Amino acid sequence: MSSEIEIIKDKSNYLRGTLKESLENEITGAITSEDNALLKFHGSYQQADRDLESERKHQKLEPLHSFMIRVRLPGGISRPAQWLAVDKLADLYGNGTIKLTTRQTFQLHGIFKRNLKKTIRQINDSLMDTIAACGDVNRNVMSNPNATQSPVHAEVAETAKRLSEHLLPKTTAYHEIWLDKQLLVGGEKDEEPIYGKTYLPRKFKIAIAIPPHNDIDVFANDLGLIAIVEKGKLTGFNVAIGGGMGMTFGNPSTYPRLATIIGYIPKEKIIDVAEKIMLVQRDFGNRDDRKNARLKYTLDRLGVEKFKAELYARLGYELEPEKPYTFESNCDAYGWLKGTDGKWHLTLFIEGGRVVDGENIKLRTALRKVAEIHQGDFRITGNQNLIIANIPTSQKKEIEKILFDHSVLSSQDLTGLRLNSLACVALNTCPLAFAEAERYLPKLIDKLDEIVIANGIEKEPIVVRMTGCPNGCARPYLGEIGFVGRAPGRYNLYLGAGFSGDRLNKLYRENLNEQEILETLKPVLEDYASTRENGERFGNFVVRKGYVKATLEGKNFHN
Ligand code: SRM
Ligand code: SF4
């Protein structure tokens, strides 16, 4: 039997449902659950402030509903005017913060229903949109934001944009509901030539990496593309399919999986290949059980050969054999870099991706001031960080001064552990969180920092990731150290992912509180400090020393 969401999509008249009516209903701050399912396709989720949950219940009030809005921003690139627009909306309608996500875009939180339409409209006014930022469609396409900026990087960013646009839903519902625009004329009807009426069985994600950087975690995507550069020119892409992080505790039929490379394709064919891969998933993905609906499960069920046969039948040609490539890491490179065209790029660490003014570090104000004068662009990285990119030499000093005056630059001298940490949003806005992540990881790292400093390994980059539940929004199963929330204050500890995002980690200990985490990790970090081999990364070390077995396949993640 089709899942409930399938029925909602089918009946929705191309994602309209009763969204207009729900938005106009002044009796409640919420929308109906059917409309909430549809709202995701428009780039927004209904949430409630979970910090206030019990107090509101006690007062017999409905939860304090508000909405999260996610922007579609292929490759994470925005202009200074767009940054300023988001910054303004954060104060005007949001909770005063901007969240940079693990898929290179902006999120605004805390928007009340009465302001939802205004916010989405103003995002569109600044030449961005929120279409398909969530929902059972192709999501924000990620691409290497690397600041070394060469013509290849520009071409890859452009490819991400083209892929995103080609795979957009064609329904005019978005324009009708949010922008009051009637795009259908003279009896025209909506159609979805690629998706069809019920869209995909589940979300679909694409990312493009440019070796040696895997800073967008290409293997965590339904479709991961690895740029192949020959003699300084982009020739095409290795095509990897079936990546994904999400799983459910206690349900071993769900597991994280890294994408499998199935071949190479010249760059001219990339849009066609991406579309047809998505169509195989559209036709073969499980529409009965959303927990087994992602492409990774379709691929493991059909097998690679049958999947390829279906793909080739749709393409009318075959992929070529994969080409050699090497990834070095999935981290960001911080600090100043000069591009091949002489422009400057500054990568800043943004803890938890949260752009907010703290007591001492006035990050949001500083970035606003930078945006007011900046002539280049901003690039959000897949690690929730920010590159102030394409700065002419003449402006470098001025931008540096703004960041210095607001204590942003001086706050960047951090341990390798913190600089490579990622945490998902979790509480107080995520309805699925069992435990804290973004609000807690910095405090845990304060304590872990003491251990790494005491052992002289404070400069070693170690990839640490934390999520408030097993859905995997900060890609915790690709952490050399991964924490996954089980209950308030309790986490599963995973160890041993590959430093370049090429191997999943493995469960090491379950359900630990903070003290247990510190007691468990201390001897392992001490051992790493004293017995690691030259250049050996922490994830490889714990596998070599037998702390955990290497996870070589998603299906074996739980073994
Ligand atoms: Fe995610 C659901 C936040 C990246 C796997 N994710 C959610 C929701 C919308 C909760 C919900 O369904 O109500 C979270 C909203 C929290 C909030 O208050 O903002 C949420 N996900 C995020 C973000 C904001 C985390 C962050 O701190 O940056 C990331 C936004 C990305 C974006 O800009 O599009 C985010 N989510 C990811 C990633 C990482 C990635 O894509 O590289 C994953 C793992 C990769 C994957 O998809 O397998 C991810 N999110 C999920 C899942 C599990 C999907 C699955 O296949 O099982 C869910 C739950 C679901 O879909 O049922 C989920
Ligand atoms: Fe929410 Fe879980 Fe995603 Fe964290 S991993 S944002 S807790 S769904």
Side-chain angles (χ1 to χ4, degrees), residues 255-477:
Y255 45 86
R257 185 189 191 285
L258 294 190
T260 308
I261 298 183
I262 58 167
Y264 165 88
I265 198 75
K267 63 181 180 184
E268 296 73 27
K269 299 211 164 94
I270 193 58
I271 302 274
D272 191 26
V273 168
E275 179 190 305
K276 300 302 182 309
I277 287 171
M278 203 178 83
L279 292 190
V280 178
Q281 163 64 359
R282 179 196 68 184
D283 299 342
F284 285 86
N286 184 340
R287 288 185 187 258
D288 302 333
D289 177 4
R290 290 183 65 80
K291 292 219 177 289
N292 270 283
R294 290 290 291 274
L295 189 150
K296 59 182 174 179
Y297 303 118
T298 313
L299 184 62
D300 280 346
R301 185 161 36 82
L302 295 181
V304 171
E305 289 317 312
K306 166 98 169 101
F307 195 103
K308 274 188 176 174
E310 286 297 333
L311 174 63
Y312 295 168
R314 284 162 176 77
L315 286 172
Y317 53 87
E318 299 194 353
L319 301 189
E320 297 170 26
E322 75 169 272
K323 303 235 175 182
Y325 68 94
T326 318
F327 282 133
E328 284 169 4
S329 95
N330 58 1
C331 306
D332 288 342
Y334 295 102
W336 285 105
L337 271 173
K338 197 174 188 179
T340 46
D341 58 359
K343 296 246 177 73
W344 290 91
H345 314 277
L346 176 65
T347 306
L348 293 172
F349 172 65
I350 312 282
E351 195 152 37
R354 189 66 67 169
V355 179
V356 63
D357 278 347
E359 223 169 276
N360 303 317
I361 306 163
K362 304 291 177 201
L363 177 64
R364 207 178 131 211
T365 306
L367 292 175
R368 183 184 312 126
K369 292 200 165 165
V370 169
E372 280 163 1
I373 60 154
H374 185 29
Q375 296 163 11
D377 53 32
F378 290 96
R379 283 147 192 254
I380 302 170
T381 80
N383 289 314
Q384 299 171 326
N385 294 315
L386 186 67
I387 306 176
I388 307 175
N390 289 308
I391 306 171
T393 304
S394 58
Q395 257 203 341
K396 185 169 174 260
K397 278 226 155 60
E398 200 180 350
I399 288 183
E400 213 161 27
K401 182 166 182 331
I402 296 173
L403 296 169
F404 185 80
D405 289 348
H406 292 79
S407 305
V408 174
L409 278 189
S410 52
S411 69
Q412 296 279 310
D413 184 17
L414 303 163
T415 62
L417 202 64
R418 193 180 302 269
L419 286 172
N420 295 294
S421 64
L422 262 190
C424 74
V425 181
L427 296 164
N428 63 328
T429 52
C430 180
L432 309 177
F434 299 135
E436 297 278 352
E438 184 193 319
R439 298 194 295 193
Y440 170 58
L441 186 61
K443 295 178 207 153
L444 179 64
I445 290 189
D446 287 344
K447 300 195 172 149
L448 290 169
D449 270 355
E450 289 173 22
I451 302 175
V452 293
I453 291 167
N455 286 281
I457 49 172
E458 67 273 17
K459 290 293 164 211
E460 290 291 331
I462 299 178
V463 176
V464 187
R465 295 180 174 183
M466 175 179 277
T467 55
C469 86
N471 279 321
C473 298
R475 302 185 288 271
Y477 313 111

Side-chain angles (χ1 to χ4, degrees), residues 40 45-47 68 70-71 99-107 109 133-134 139-140 142 202-203 205 216-217 220-222 243-248 290-291 294 296-297 352 354 384 423-426 428-432 438 469-476:
K40 297 177 185 178
Y45 282 69
Q46 177 174 301
Q47 303 185 319
M68 172 271 269
R70 191 180 284 166
V71 176
K99 169 80 180 183
L100 310 183
T101 75
T102 55
R103 291 193 73 78
Q104 299 183 291
T105 189
F106 301 110
Q107 271 186 196
H109 289 99
C134 324
R139 303 289 191 91
N140 198 38
M142 298 178 78
R202 204 66 163 88
K203 58 181 77 168
K205 296 181 172 179
I216 45 81
D217 273 330
N221 287 267
D222 296 271
M245 292 279 107
M247 64 148 180
T248 305
R290 290 183 65 80
K291 292 219 177 289
R294 290 290 291 274
K296 59 182 174 179
Y297 303 118
R354 189 66 67 169
Q384 299 171 326
C424 74
V425 181
N428 63 328
T429 52
C430 180
L432 309 177
E438 184 193 319
C469 86
N471 279 321
C473 298
R475 302 185 288 271

Side-chain angles (χ1 to χ4, degrees), residues 105-335:
T105 189
F106 301 110
Q107 271 186 196
L108 292 172
H109 289 99
I111 296 153
F112 293 123
K113 189 168 86 172
R114 60 176 182 277
N115 295 325
L116 190 55
K117 188 166 165 176
K118 288 185 239 177
T119 314
I120 292 184
R121 185 189 279 256
Q122 289 186 35
I123 288 171
N124 278 266
D125 287 346
S126 54
L127 303 181
M128 294 180 288
D129 62 59
T130 63
I131 309 172
C134 324
D136 297 341
V137 280
N138 175 52
R139 303 289 191 91
N140 198 38
V141 178
M142 298 178 78
S143 85
N144 176 301
N146 197 297
T148 50
Q149 264 297 320
S150 66
V152 168
H153 290 87
E155 195 178 345
V156 166
E158 190 51 37
T159 307
K161 199 160 166 237
R162 279 199 298 132
L163 276 168
S164 175
E165 275 158 18
H166 181 76
L167 299 176
L168 275 180
K170 301 288 180 284
T171 172
T172 59
Y174 184 87
H175 295 82
E176 211 174 283
I177 296 171
W178 308 106
L179 311 177
D180 295 324
K181 278 191 193 152
Q182 191 50 260
L183 297 186
L184 297 174
V185 284
E188 265 180 337
K189 287 208 164 58
D190 268 322
E191 52 185 340
E192 288 288 4
I194 299 181
Y195 289 104
K197 247 174 109 179
T198 48
Y199 297 84
L200 300 179
R202 204 66 163 88
K203 58 181 77 168
F204 188 84
K205 296 181 172 179
I206 303 179
I208 317 177
I210 309 176
H213 304 284
N214 187 19
D215 44 11
I216 45 81
D217 273 330
V218 72
F219 298 114
N221 287 267
D222 296 271
L223 171 56
L225 301 171
I226 301 165
I228 301 297
V229 181
E230 284 164 346
K231 297 195 184 113
K233 294 229 166 2
L234 177 73
T235 60
F237 302 91
N238 278 347
V239 177
I241 58 170
M245 292 279 107
M247 64 148 180
T248 305
F249 287 138
N251 180 350
S253 77
T254 65
Y255 45 86
R257 185 189 191 285
L258 294 190
T260 308
I261 298 183
I262 58 167
Y264 165 88
I265 198 75
K267 63 181 180 184
E268 296 73 27
K269 299 211 164 94
I270 193 58
I271 302 274
D272 191 26
V273 168
E275 179 190 305
K276 300 302 182 309
I277 287 171
M278 203 178 83
L279 292 190
V280 178
Q281 163 64 359
R282 179 196 68 184
D283 299 342
F284 285 86
N286 184 340
R287 288 185 187 258
D288 302 333
D289 177 4
R290 290 183 65 80
K291 292 219 177 289
N292 270 283
R294 290 290 291 274
L295 189 150
K296 59 182 174 179
Y297 303 118
T298 313
L299 184 62
D300 280 346
R301 185 161 36 82
L302 295 181
V304 171
E305 289 317 312
K306 166 98 169 101
F307 195 103
K308 274 188 176 174
E310 286 297 333
L311 174 63
Y312 295 168
R314 284 162 176 77
L315 286 172
Y317 53 87
E318 299 194 353
L319 301 189
E320 297 170 26
E322 75 169 272
K323 303 235 175 182
Y325 68 94
T326 318
F327 282 133
E328 284 169 4
S329 95
N330 58 1
C331 306
D332 288 342
Y334 295 102

Side-chain angles (χ1 to χ4, degrees), residues 457-524:
I457 49 172
E458 67 273 17
K459 290 293 164 211
E460 290 291 331
I462 299 178
V463 176
V464 187
R465 295 180 174 183
M466 175 179 277
T467 55
C469 86
N471 279 321
C473 298
R475 302 185 288 271
Y477 313 111
L478 281 168
E480 293 181 289
I481 302 177
F483 298 103
V484 176
R486 294 221 52 155
R490 297 222 163 238
Y491 297 85
N492 279 3
L493 170 61
Y494 298 81
L495 295 179
F499 187 67
S500 57
D502 55 350
R503 182 181 66 234
L504 293 166
N505 53 21
K506 183 75 90 205
L507 181 65
Y508 182 56
R509 294 283 184 270
E510 260 182 292
N511 214 20
L512 305 182
N513 64 22
E514 181 174 285
Q515 198 186 339
E516 290 161 340
I517 289 173
L518 296 172
E519 281 167 9
T520 307
L521 278 178
K522 190 163 178 260
V524 188

Side-chain angles (χ1 to χ4, degrees), residues 526-557:
E526 283 169 352
D527 191 13
Y528 177 60
S530 54
T531 69
R532 71 188 187 281
E533 288 171 356
N534 195 13
E536 190 175 26
R537 308 272 37 114
F538 184 74
N540 294 340
F541 168 82
V542 290
V543 170
R544 176 174 66 81
K545 293 295 285 279
Y547 288 101
V548 287
K549 284 218 170 79
T551 300
L552 301 176
E553 230 196 308
K555 275 193 276 191
N556 293 334
F557 179 75

